[in-house]
Every structure is written in structure tokens, then in C-alpha cells.
Amino acid sequence: MSDAADRSVSSSPRAQGRVLQAVNKTWPGFISGAVEGRARELIDEGRYDDAADVLEEGIERYGAASVSQLMLAWCLHMTERQEAALEWVVRAVEEEPEDPDAHWIRANILFELGQVGEASASLRQAVELAPDNGRYYMQLACYHYRDQRFVKTRELMERALELAPDDAWVQLTAGRIYNHHLRYRLAHAHFVRALELEPGDDEARGDLAENLQARGRLSSGVRIAWETVEAAGEDSSAAGLYDVTLRRWSWRWYEWALRAALVLNVIDWIFPTPMPVGAALAGALVVVFAAGWVRSLLVLPPQCRRDLMGKGRRGHFAGASARTLLVLAGIALMLLGELSALQHLGILALVVGGYVEWGWRAMRIPGKWKPSDPVR
């Protein structure tokens, strides 16, 4: 009796499969909902590999019609299995040609496979089917951005912002595109808006910190990066951003000193300054630099000031500060002396050499953190 009870409770996997197939024929939504429900849970956890396995197992047991082929294509796309993803998304498009999401996912997959022309065409179909979707317009703008067609990019970007002003991704992407084209003020406004919509977005905070430093607000950039680390923790990618902004803080002062040397050298070359005027200019330059440097240092949070000259960054800080002082001293000597045209030309060559070194070292700073590309 007990053996019969055990057999009734625990049937063989093959028998279970036959029962579920029969259930699926009678109530197809039951099986589909169970499989897709589990897959969605895994997707919400970011486990796209596991979600793809669940969907593929569902198809193997109950047939391709039992689960969303589009969902499977998306999971495969997110796990970098683009060829397999393309096969499933093509089937999804053939079955539901009026579904804009199917064309959108197909565009993403084609773009990753390097078929940019076909990706753009597929995305345009999505835009035609869903003309009110701001995200589609923004992604199409990203494709034109990659092709360096800024006029078309801006048209599509403005349309996306008009349709989806409260979409954080749309605002963030607009900021990145403007930032790439050195439209820093416009980029700043979009980064701020993206953070208003999603305050916890570390990528938006990183882009804002970069933007602030590019605009000369060095300490504000460091503060944003430090606040991000405080919120996300030392083990997050924000720690790399914080390290980069700290190193750039001192390195930017050196660049500004080089910029001042370039401008004043040209002015003194064209309009030679008398000794009193040169002394006044040299004194004013040193005072302005010293006041700006001290003020920028004081507005940093105390922890940032300690980290600026902490272990691993002390040498970088000292080197940048020494270079800045050396350039300022050179400017003072230039303004106080009576230099010939050949000497001015020599100073110009030294400034250009300094800029080359500055650029080379600046490119090496972002080794631990890199801003994201507009297309993500």
C-alpha cells in the first residue's frame, strides 16, 4: 500500500513530461507562464545565462511556441551569444512583424554583430511602428553619432528628448553625446536631469564628475566622485572614478599654468611689456593662481584632502605641483626680462613640449575608470 502511495506521489520524469505536454496542449498559457515567470525572475536578478537555459529547456520540452522567442533572443543577446540570438529574433520578427520591440532587439543584435546598416534599418522599422517611443529615437541617434553625423544625431536626439523628457537613459545619453562634442554646458544639464530621475545611477554620477572637471570645476568633480564612493562602497567601480578625479585635480592646475604661459608668451612677444607692467602681471598671476588653488583645496571634503596626498597619490600630487610652480616661475622670468623673438620662440617650444607631456600623462590617468560610451 505504501509502495503504491509512493509511486503516485513520485512519477518518473518521462511521465511528468507527458503530463505537462498534455497540459500545454489544453492550456498553453499555463506552461508558458510558468517557464517565462521563472525566466523573468532570473532576468530581474541579472542572471541572463540561467534565464536563457530555462527558456531553452522549455522550448526543448514543450515546443518553440511554449515560450517567448523574443525573451530568449534578448537573454542570448545579453550573454554575448549574438549568432544564436539573431536566429531567434528573426523567427520572432517573422511571427510578429508588427511588434516594435522585436525590431528593436534585432537592431541591437545586428549592431553587436557589426552589421550597422541593417541595424539602422531594423531600428527605423521600430520607430515607424512606435513613433512615440523616445528610446528608439535616442538609440537611432546613437547610431548616427557613431557615424559622426552630428546634425542628424542632434535632430533625432531632440525628438527623443521631446518624447521622453522623464527617461533617465535618454537624458544620460544626450549628455554623453553633447559631452563628446565638447558642448559641456548642455551635457551638464542633461547629466543633472538624469540624476534627478535616477539618483542612484553611478554611471550618471561618473559622467557628471568628468563633465565638471572638464569645465574647470575640479573640486566639484571630486566631491561628486567621493559621494558616489560613500554611497556605493569602496569595492564599486566608483572607487576608480574617485581615484581618477583626485589625480586630475592636481594635474589640471599644471595644464592651466601651461595655458597661461602660452597666452602671456604670445602677448609679450607681440606687445613687449615694460619692466613695471611685467612685474605687475607676474605678481597678479601668482596671486590669482595661489588664491584659486587654496580655495579649490579648501572646498574639498576633509577626507578628499587627505586622500589627495595619501599613499599612492602623494608622488603624483608632488610632481604636478612642482611642474606648476616651475611654469609659474618661468612666466615671471619671461615677463620681467627683455626677450628676443628667438627666445620667445624657444619658450613656445617648451610650452608645446609641456602640453605633449601633460596630454600623455593625462591619458594614462584613466586607467582604473573609463566613462561609458553613449551606446550601451
Side-chain angles (χ1 to χ4, degrees), residues 177-239:
I177 291 173
Y178 277 127
N179 214 50
H180 175 79
H181 289 277
L182 309 182
R183 308 292 294 276
Y184 294 128
R185 289 186 180 276
L186 286 171
H188 178 266
H190 290 293
F191 289 145
V192 170
R193 180 59 180 154
L195 274 176
E196 288 174 356
L197 294 167
E198 284 191 20
D201 189 340
D202 288 350
E203 287 193 14
R205 285 184 171 275
D207 287 314
L208 180 58
E210 287 278 312
N211 176 269
L212 287 168
Q213 288 206 317
R215 294 178 61 200
R217 298 169 60 182
L218 306 184
S219 295
S220 296
V222 173
R223 180 183 290 275
I224 289 288
W226 176 70
E227 290 173 351
T228 305
V229 171
E230 288 290 293
E234 292 288 342
D235 295 331
S236 69
S237 61

Side-chain angles (χ1 to χ4, degrees), residues 128-146:
E128 290 174 6
L129 292 168
D132 296 330
N133 191 311
R135 282 200 166 209
Y136 292 168
Y137 280 96
M138 183 56 81
Q139 189 153 350
L140 195 55
C142 289
Y143 290 172
H144 287 290
Y145 154 84
R146 284 285 185 90

Side-chain angles (χ1 to χ4, degrees), residues 274-287:
M275 175 72 72
V277 176
L281 278 174
L285 178 68
V286 171
V287 169

Side-chain angles (χ1 to χ4, degrees), residues 35 40 51 84 132 135 152 160 177 204 242 291 335 368:
V35 174
R40 287 183 188 279
D132 296 330
R135 282 200 166 209
K152 189 62 178 178
I177 291 173
Y242 179 54
L335 292 173
K368 296 184 181 178

